[in-house]
Amino acid sequence: QVQLVESGGGLVHAGGSLNLSCAASGFTFSYYAIGWFRQAPGKEREGVSCIVTSTGFTYYADSVKGRFSISRDNAKNTVYLQMDSLKPEDTAVYYCAADLIYNDYCNTLVSGMDYWGKGTLVTVSS
């Protein structure tokens, strides 16, 4: 049974930090890229970052570049998203998703993901 379980969300003041975790099970972790997405109230889901679990290749959306850092622990089948210098506009439900890949690159196309977690809420107060 495939599972992606996010954790680490919460309430933080602007300028603060949070570290999200995405624990994966039920599939061969090394065959996949893992992406982080977010959806703010009234807005479409958007890609934030992704990582190729086998090679460590990473991608960041311009809106988070320099503030967020994605990493993985293959021994734990877990991907992390370290979020620093948080802004109120980062407030959203954050989801992780798995994408079966056939090359060494990842992307954050919502329609391309194979499995999704249920999300964790991040609220940044001003």
Side-chain angles (χ1 to χ4, degrees):
Q1 180 183 358
V2 172
Q3 278 194 311
L4 291 167
V5 180
E6 302 94 337
S7 62
L11 173 64
V12 64
H13 291 298
S17 298
L18 283 174
N19 189 24
L20 305 184
S21 298
C22 173
S25 60
F27 60 93
T28 304
F29 192 67
S30 61
Y31 291 174
Y32 285 75
I34 302 295
W36 282 100
F37 299 78
R38 65 188 182 186
Q39 188 165 17
K43 295 189 177 181
E44 293 187 354
R45 192 169 299 188
E46 63 174 358
V48 172
S49 180
C50 64
I51 187 167
V52 176
T53 58
S54 58
T55 66
F57 173 88
T58 59
Y59 163 82
Y60 297 93
D62 287 343
S63 59
V64 305
K65 202 171 293 183
R67 300 188 298 123
F68 290 10
S69 178
I70 192 170
S71 62
R72 89 286 195 203
D73 184 336
N74 289 350
K76 295 182 179 179
N77 284 6
T78 300
V79 170
Y80 305 96
L81 186 68
Q82 176 66 39
M83 306 188 295
D84 298 320
S85 302
L86 283 161
K87 305 175 181 179
E89 51 263 44
D90 294 317
T91 294
V93 177
Y94 282 71
Y95 301 88
C96 64
D99 178 22
L100 180 63
I101 60 171
Y102 301 95
N103 53 39
D104 293 335
Y105 302 99
C106 62
N107 65 73
T108 53
L109 294 174
V110 172
S111 60
M113 299 298 113
D114 296 293
Y115 307 115
W116 288 89
K118 294 183 178 180
T120 185
L121 177 63
V122 171
T123 304
V124 185
S125 63
S126 57

